[in-house]
Amino acid sequence: MKTERIGPPLLADERESLRAFLDFHRATLALKCEGLTDEQLRRQASPPSTLSLLGLVRHMAEVERTWFRRVIAAEDVPLVWSDSGDFQQAYDARDADVAEAFAAWRREIEYARRIEREAASLDVTGHQARWGEDVSLRLVMLHMLHEYARHNGHADLIREAIDGAVGV
């Protein structure tokens, strides 16, 4: 599947800007994975670390699920790849099914988009159990931008190590 990455608008309100930048970063991760074999997607960045492009996709599925479904929507859903709540387990994609991982990530993005669109405002709150604090949708959107930006930096380095491709 070919990924279309649309640049965020130069003039928009806060919510539209956050939404557009988040989608831009989601598309960036997809582009970093595009055109690679399953083996290349599973390739560990720097053993013994289990971090790989596929691991990043799985991790971001967990992050999307947690912040939007568990925190904002208060859904009682477990993590996708960890019974213990350990986000690091998603990084280990050595034996992971590529199609399953991308399907889970895309599914969680769609849930997240729906939850964000249906929220009355960025001031809607949810409870982040790990922190024992309530958080706003605004904070969640900003946190997601931070997560994707940080991990897209990892993806840049991993992709370059795989086949020399830089930028997108």
Side-chain angles (χ1 to χ4, degrees):
M1 175 169 28
K2 189 75 173 150
T3 302
E4 180 181 5
R5 185 174 68 168
I6 299 170
L10 300 178
L11 298 172
D13 66 19
E14 178 186 21
R15 191 165 186 175
E16 182 56 32
S17 293
L18 290 171
R19 183 183 294 146
F21 269 95
L22 184 51
D23 279 341
F24 179 85
H25 279 288
R26 288 168 171 153
T28 298
L29 181 56
L31 284 168
K32 285 295 172 182
C33 297
E34 222 167 62
L36 296 177
T37 66
D38 290 6
E39 178 186 322
Q40 288 171 318
L41 289 167
R42 288 189 198 100
R43 187 176 300 164
Q44 292 171 247
S46 182
S49 170
T50 58
L51 186 64
S52 66
L53 287 170
L54 188 59
L56 288 174
V57 167
R58 287 166 40 108
H59 174 72
M60 291 312 298
E62 298 286 35
V63 172
E64 296 267 6
R65 183 180 188 92
T66 295
W67 283 101
F68 287 100
R69 293 179 68 184
R70 295 173 68 168
V71 173
I72 295 298
E75 292 181 20
D76 185 18
V77 292
L79 291 179
V80 181
W81 290 284
S82 172
D83 294 331
S84 67
D86 180 3
F87 285 85
Q88 301 300 313
Q89 281 188 286
Y91 283 139
D92 189 353
R94 290 174 287 190
D95 299 317
D97 181 286
V98 171
E100 174 191 38
F102 276 91
W105 181 47
R106 287 186 193 103
R107 186 174 49 251
E108 293 307 325
I109 288 170
E110 287 310 310
Y111 274 112
R113 285 179 176 143
R114 180 185 51 78
I115 290 164
E116 183 273 321
R117 277 192 314 268
E118 292 176 0
S121 77
L122 291 173
D123 295 323
V124 165
T125 60
H127 187 73
Q128 174 41 286
R130 268 195 172 165
W131 299 351
E133 299 282 345
D134 288 344
V135 297
S136 69
L137 177 58
R138 178 180 290 102
L139 179 129
V140 169
M141 298 287 284
L142 289 167
H143 180 77
M144 292 301 298
L145 285 168
H146 163 80
E147 280 278 330
Y148 273 102
R150 184 166 62 105
H151 291 313
N152 281 339
H154 298 140
D156 283 338
L157 295 172
I158 296 169
R159 180 63 188 251
E160 185 175 4
I162 291 170
D163 66 359
V166 295
V168 284

